[in-house]
Amino acid sequence: MTPDTSPDLSSKRAPLPAPPAAPSAAAIPCAAAPSAATATSTATATATSTATEAAHKVIAPDIAPATEAGRPDAAGRPDAAGRGPSIGRLVGIDLARGLAVFGMYAAHVGPDPAVGGPLGFVMELARGRSSALFALLAGFTLVLITGRPHPRTGRAGRQAVARMVIRSLVLIALGFALTALDTEVDVILAFYGLTFLAVLPLYRLRARTLALLAAAGAFVMPQVLYVTRLSIEEGSWADTVVAWDPLARLGDTDGFMELLFTGEYPVLTWMSFMLVGMAVARLDLTRNAVRTQLVLTGGALAVLGYGGSWLALRLVPHARASVAAATDGDSGASAWWSDTVGYIVDDTPAAWLLVGAPHSQTTFSILGNTGVALLVVVLCVTATDRLPRFRRLATPVRAVGMTALTAYVLHILAIREFGMADETGPALVDLLVHSLVAMLLATAWTRWFRRGPLEQLLHLSTRPARSLR
């Protein structure tokens, strides 16, 4: 992930998993969003009903996640069985994280999706969806730190929570420091740090409960965010909050208002991605039945998200025209899946709630992005588990995933130093250079060290947590 999603566990020392111990978790259910306006209520009700039916179909039976060999179980007994695929799970997560890094590079320095053709399509796929994959993997990391498959309790649990709090605060500080460099990139680290803190109290919940909370968040929070943003646009209370916000005073930002509501990755809507990642981390990803359920869930969410948006924008009268009139992008025809619809430049219309573009912060976009992220994770886990040759060939990408925080920060610094190209040819060269340099440095580093340079510093910063009793 962007922030340190490769914590103390990496593919170079992944433990042997044991067979499942007891019934536990489920795949991820989903729900569609209601519109805030009367004009969109019919389409939204249809999507909600369809989402509810799909959720019941794709929920997996309770399945216990595999215990990592050598780690104590919930009762404190060491687990020594260690049967099953030995490295597919964490190696696959490293690979998914590496792909997310490259997706981020493509969104920042790659060619504009408007170039069209296969290149434009690939560039569009990276927009927003790579960030959602990062967020999902961030939730996976949180569970790795706080205890997988069973949450740590007692002193170990308190120390794990303290480690996560320290990590979150460091990421927030680092995010604001990178934002102060004044690049054209919307730095995501501070948003991730605050989202970590928001979902941390839920770390002991089972997979099914986490999945239901994620679905509820996807259903409710975009509407709450829409109403809140309207209130901010029409009133002055937000300016008062920002004026008193100590976080806003530290830099040229809106502080907590930006992190929670007005920024590119508002915590209010991005919590759902982390909750899904936490739920996935509670599952036994070595089991074919679990992978199959996750593939079905991911596919259903993608169809409900992007397909539901496509249908709603055509069924609701004047919806596409309203969206097009309020944005600076294309005609609105691509609003169901693409950021080429542009950004809001006028008052946000109610029809915006029907948009499925990756950065639109709507229910449809959360469903679609989550579905894509789940499919990528399952594909990576399965490929690295079953195809040894592929696993070896993917080593450079996995290495980038293991050093994701370092790769992200160096990427932002490179943009600050060299800028971003506007034309397609130079932009493609920039993307290739960023990716190749990241793979070379990460591969060389991980041959000798378990963590990346910044990952190691982040790990060292959490040492005070050991003093908790």
Side-chain angles (χ1 to χ4, degrees):
M1 109 187 196
T2 13
D4 180 30
T5 41
S6 46
D8 300 337
L9 298 175
S10 71
S11 59
K12 296 192 71 173
R13 53 193 182 94
L16 294 173
S24 162
I28 290 76
C30 56
S35 168
T38 304
T40 62
S41 60
T42 303
T44 304
T46 303
T48 303
S49 175
T50 305
T52 303
E53 295 175 5
H56 287 294
K57 292 180 181 179
V58 299
I59 291 177
D62 275 1
I63 302 170
T67 302
E68 294 172 3
R71 291 189 178 274
D73 61 14
R77 297 182 299 269
D79 174 66
R83 295 189 297 271
S86 60
I87 58 176
R89 206 173 344 170
L90 293 181
V91 168
I93 296 301
D94 284 336
L95 178 59
R97 193 181 299 119
L99 292 177
V101 169
F102 292 143
M104 170 196 64
Y105 287 4
H108 293 166
V109 301
D112 193 306
V115 301
L119 178 60
F121 177 77
V122 172
M123 294 300 103
E124 180 56 50
L125 284 179
R127 300 275 173 128
R129 281 163 276 265
S130 58
S131 302
L133 177 58
F134 275 131
L136 188 147
L137 293 172
F140 199 103
T141 293
L142 189 152
V143 172
L144 287 179
I145 293 173
T146 56
R148 179 178 189 254
H150 306 292
R152 295 184 175 94
T153 58
R155 180 187 176 191
R158 291 190 293 273
Q159 290 178 343
V161 169
R163 289 176 61 198
M164 281 305 309
V165 171
I166 294 172
R167 283 169 175 263
S168 301
L169 295 177
V170 171
L171 289 174
I172 292 173
L174 182 57
F176 276 101
L178 293 177
T179 299
L181 296 179
D182 198 27
T183 65
E184 297 181 33
V185 176
D186 292 306
V187 179
I188 201 170
L189 294 183
F191 296 92
Y192 274 9
L194 188 57
T195 308
F196 270 133
L197 293 177
V199 302
L200 181 58
L202 309 175
Y203 81 95
R204 293 185 179 183
L205 298 181
R206 293 160 60 93
R208 185 181 294 274
T209 306
L210 290 166
L212 290 174
L213 287 175
F219 180 78
V220 174
M221 290 306 178
Q223 281 57 250
V224 174
L225 181 64
Y226 174 77
V227 172
T228 303
R229 285 183 169 181
L230 283 182
S231 175
I232 291 173
E233 293 173 3
E234 298 171 358
S236 59
W237 65 271
D239 295 332
T240 304
V241 173
V242 171
W244 286 92
D245 184 355
L247 195 60
R249 297 178 185 178
L250 295 177
D252 187 21
T253 70
D254 288 339
F256 284 106
M257 287 296 298
E258 182 174 336
L259 295 179
L260 290 170
F261 306 118
T262 62
E264 192 72 8
Y265 311 98
V267 172
L268 214 61
T269 49
W270 282 71
M271 287 191 300
S272 289
F273 298 121
M274 280 200 186
L275 290 172
V276 172
M278 293 169 67
V280 171
R282 291 269 176 243
L283 301 175
D284 179 3
L285 298 182
T286 65
R287 295 187 58 177
N288 289 334
V290 173
R291 294 176 184 175
T292 300
Q293 291 287 356
L294 288 177
V295 167
L296 293 175
T297 301
L301 289 173
V303 170
L304 284 170
Y306 301 130
S309 175
W310 180 88
L311 188 62
L313 287 169
R314 282 156 177 77
L315 291 179
V316 176
H318 312 299
R320 281 189 294 174
S322 297
V323 170
T327 58
D328 58 0
D330 61 18
S331 63
S334 63
W336 61 278
W337 83 287
S338 171
D339 276 339
T340 57
V341 65
Y343 291 93
I344 296 289
V345 294
D346 201 351
D347 294 337
T348 306
W352 185 257
L353 292 172
L354 304 179
V355 169
H359 284 108
S360 58
Q361 316 303 336
T362 66
T363 292
F364 288 118
S365 71
I366 294 175
L367 293 178
N369 292 350
T370 301
V372 172
L374 284 176
L375 291 174
V376 171
V377 169
V378 176
L379 177 63
C380 291
V381 169
T382 303
T384 53
D385 179 26
R386 297 186 176 182
L387 303 172
R389 179 174 296 180
F390 171 81
R391 185 168 61 239
R392 290 192 296 271
L393 292 175
T395 296
V397 182
R398 293 193 288 111
V400 172
M402 293 167 61
T403 59
L405 178 62
T406 301
Y408 181 85
V409 172
L410 291 179
H411 168 70
I412 299 299
L413 294 177
I415 290 176
R416 175 67 175 84
E417 183 66 25
F418 303 108
M420 297 186 289
D422 294 326
E423 298 180 4
T424 300
L428 185 57
V429 172
D430 279 356
L431 175 58
L432 293 176
V433 169
H434 278 253
S435 302
L436 289 174
V437 170
M439 285 190 288
L440 288 172
L441 294 178
T443 302
W445 184 272
T446 54
R447 284 180 62 88
W448 302 101
F449 303 99
R450 297 189 310 185
R451 303 183 184 94
L454 293 183
E455 283 78 6
Q456 179 63 23
L457 290 176
L458 186 59
H459 171 70
L460 293 176
S461 72
T462 65
R463 283 194 171 180
R466 296 180 181 178
S467 63
L468 286 181
R469 299 295 178 184

